[in-house]
């Protein structure tokens, strides 16, 4: 199926969409992105993604090319034109095309490049993996120091995903100075009794939109939330573990570096948080 994509104000067949070879997103990874899930034709936590997009653009001294209402209209139009029931909308804003390659940023008034496209994932929320859980390995965190900015510079996370694949598991958890930072494209959690533990926010990790919602729901459901560092050894010894992201929601983790957690089956806290998250977010979807 030929998708309709959005490029700089136009809705086009994907085969006709064009971006310059001089685009700084292409040459320098000078751009930011967001991925918003669609369930039942509606956008999940759209306001959260708009807030983080604004924050990422601000951190890179780029002007937000659209208001939140305009972003919403573009998302909705793409969902409608592509008949998306369950899936994702990917959004990317780069610093644009200065007409040549140069390390210095071009003039601030250069129009950014704006690209959005959809990915159809029927049954996204009924992923069979949520019933069996993910296995992960740990690998050194070799990314840059501003992981809180959601840039399109995703080479090391891609390499990490490939290391996980080669090891026959589902994902990799990054470790820095002895502590887990996050997964290749998700935030990481462990559970001990009634306590949910996840790394504190800083420049070291992406400030997950799903993380913020899940921690809010966890507190409301009377779980204790501790935002602090944890090691792989502590995680292996925990009752449960899970990850969160906009497209995986809450996904149980059942094995870390070959060691099963508890029974080796998804735990009740991860299952409960997945259920609450999906229920609440479907209700609030726009
Ligand atoms: N950390 C990283 C490195 C990610 O790439 C992602 C997903 N984009 C997340 C965490 C989860 O963020 P969110 O819940 O906003 O999808």
């Amino acid at each position: 199926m030929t998708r309709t994509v959005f490029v700089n104000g136009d809705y086009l067949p994907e085969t006709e969409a064009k971006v310059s070879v001089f685009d700084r997103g292409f040459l320098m990874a000078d751009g930011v992105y967001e991925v918003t899930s669609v369930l039942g034709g509606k956008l999940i936590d759209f306001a959260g993604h708009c807030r983080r997009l604004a924050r990422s653009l601000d951190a890179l001294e780029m002007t937000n090319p659209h208001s939140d209402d305009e972003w919403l209209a573009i998302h909705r139009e793409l969902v409608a034109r592509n008949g998306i029931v369950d899936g994702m909308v990917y959004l990317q804003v780069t610093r644009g095309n200065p007409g040549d390659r140069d390390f210095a940023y071009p003039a601030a008034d250069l129009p950014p490049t704006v690209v959005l496209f959809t990915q159809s994932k029927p049954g996204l929320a009924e992923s069979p993996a949520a019933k069996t859980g993910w296995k992960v390995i740990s690998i050194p965190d070799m990314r840059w120091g501003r992981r809180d900015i959601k840039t399109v510079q995703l080479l090391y996370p891609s390499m990490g995903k490939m290391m996980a694949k080669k090891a026959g598991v589902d994902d990799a958890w990054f470790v820095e100075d002895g502590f887990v930072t996050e997964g290749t494209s998700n935030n990481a959690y462990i559970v001990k009794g009634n306590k949910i533990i996840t790394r504190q926010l800083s420049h070291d990790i992406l400030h997950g939109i799903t993380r913020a919602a899940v921690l809010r729901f966890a507190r409301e459901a009377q779980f204790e939330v501790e935002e602090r560092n944890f090691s792989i050894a502590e995680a292996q010894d925990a009752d449960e573990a899970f990850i969160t992201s906009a497209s995986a929601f809450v996904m149980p983790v059942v094995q870390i570096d070959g060691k099963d957690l508890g029974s080796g089956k998804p735990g009740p806290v991860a299952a409960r948080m997945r259920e609450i998250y999906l229920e609440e977010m479907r209700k609030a979807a726009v």
Side-chain angles (χ1 to χ4, degrees), residues 184-264:
T184 59
S185 58
N186 46 68
N187 291 113
Y189 306 73
I190 57 173
V191 180
K192 288 173 143 186
N194 192 47
K195 204 182 290 173
I196 296 175
I197 301 159
T198 194
R199 193 179 174 104
Q200 65 284 358
L201 295 180
S202 70
H203 288 175
D204 299 338
I205 62 169
L206 187 75
H207 300 190
I209 300 306
T210 321
R211 177 189 183 280
V214 164
L215 293 189
R216 187 173 77 244
F217 297 142
R219 289 185 174 106
E220 283 169 14
Q222 308 302 320
F223 288 106
E224 205 180 316
V225 173
E226 229 173 72
E227 295 180 67
R228 64 162 173 87
N229 285 335
F230 61 86
S231 65
I232 288 293
E234 186 180 6
Q236 287 176 320
D237 203 36
D239 299 328
E240 295 181 36
F242 62 90
I243 61 92
T244 64
S245 78
S247 51
F249 312 116
V250 178
M251 182 64 69
V253 169
V254 294
Q255 188 191 88
I256 304 172
D257 284 341
K259 184 170 187 296
D260 283 350
L261 270 80
S263 62

